[in-house]
Amino acid sequence: EKLEIQVERLLKKPLCDAFGDAPPTLVLVIDAVDECFSDKAVETMLKQLVSHSQSIPIKFFITSRPEAHIRTHFEAQPEIHHKQRRLR
């Protein structure tokens, strides 16, 4: 629940207040998600970002190694647009 409050207060409200109905194309990069301290923390963060993503004037670019628990979360969310790319 703390993360939900943080997403609301630190992302959604300030961005909506600043840009209103005419949001620019902003991209927030979240790098190395697989390096978070726990799988549960990653799951919670991704759930919060996905649940608020339609109402926040921003796009998220999330990078990670192809960890199963992260892939599974995105595959279970048909309402979000995601692509997997492997860099060599």
Side-chain angles (χ1 to χ4, degrees), residues 42-77:
V42 170
E43 180 183 348
T44 301
M45 178 187 67
L46 293 175
K47 278 184 181 178
Q48 289 304 313
L49 293 177
V50 168
S51 70
H52 289 283
S53 66
Q54 297 299 318
S55 60
I56 298 175
I58 194 168
K59 295 179 181 184
F60 297 100
F61 184 83
I62 300 171
T63 69
S64 170
R65 289 184 186 105
E67 301 290 336
H69 69 281
I70 296 171
R71 281 194 329 266
T72 300
H73 179 74
F74 281 105
E75 291 165 357
Q77 303 292 326

